[in-house]
Every structure is written in C-alpha cells, then in structure tokens.
Amino acid sequence: SSRIQEHKEGIYKESFTHRYNLHFLIYFEFSPSIEEAIEREKQIKKFSRKKKELLINTINPLWNDLTVDLEYID
C-alpha cells in the first residue's frame, strides 16, 4: 500500500515508525471502519507485551515482514 511505503521511506517525521526506526510489519488486522480500527488499536495498546506477542504469533509465528503480502491486496 502507498501508506506503508510512505512509512518505510520516513515521510512522516513525527510518526511512531519514524521515531523508533521501525521498518517491518509483523501484525495487522482489517476493520470495517476507521472508528472500529481506532478502538481496536486502543485495546491492543493496553495489552501486556506477552499478550501482544501471542497475538502476533497467531498469524505470524516467524515474525516475517508482512508488507510483501499486502502489496497484492491494494
């Protein structure tokens, strides 16, 4: 997706991904609306690290960069 590419290129200088030099997408979810996506993000942010790792491992046990898979979804 173009948004993922923008993050990888560091266009958003104030973003979390730029600040922490993150370049890999290891987990994502689709949501029917932006409101539901924001609510889900807030839920996940409250999870412990262990719970977040379990969530990642359910869909990506090898922690591969999933951006390659998303290129075919756009």
Side-chain angles (χ1 to χ4, degrees):
S1 110
S2 59
R3 182 169 163 94
I4 292 170
Q5 192 60 38
E6 290 169 349
H7 279 290
K8 283 189 173 247
E9 292 173 4
I11 291 175
Y12 303 108
K13 302 295 183 203
E14 301 299 317
S15 72
F16 181 86
T17 55
H18 184 73
R19 235 178 315 152
Y20 293 95
N21 200 26
L22 304 175
H23 298 285
F24 302 103
L25 177 66
I26 57 170
Y27 181 83
F28 67 90
E29 293 181 13
F30 288 106
S31 295
S33 69
I34 188 68
E35 294 81 14
E36 290 175 80
I38 291 168
E39 187 60 36
R40 179 63 175 154
E41 184 178 0
K42 288 178 182 179
Q43 287 176 343
I44 293 172
K45 283 183 178 182
K46 294 177 184 176
F47 290 179
S48 67
R49 180 176 178 93
K50 183 176 180 177
K51 190 170 180 179
K52 289 174 188 174
E53 288 176 356
L54 287 171
L55 190 61
I56 293 164
N57 287 331
T58 62
I59 68 158
N60 190 4
L62 300 177
W63 291 47
N64 294 320
D65 185 2
L66 301 176
T67 55
V68 175
D69 298 334
L70 284 178
E71 290 174 6
Y72 301 104
I73 294 174
D74 271 351

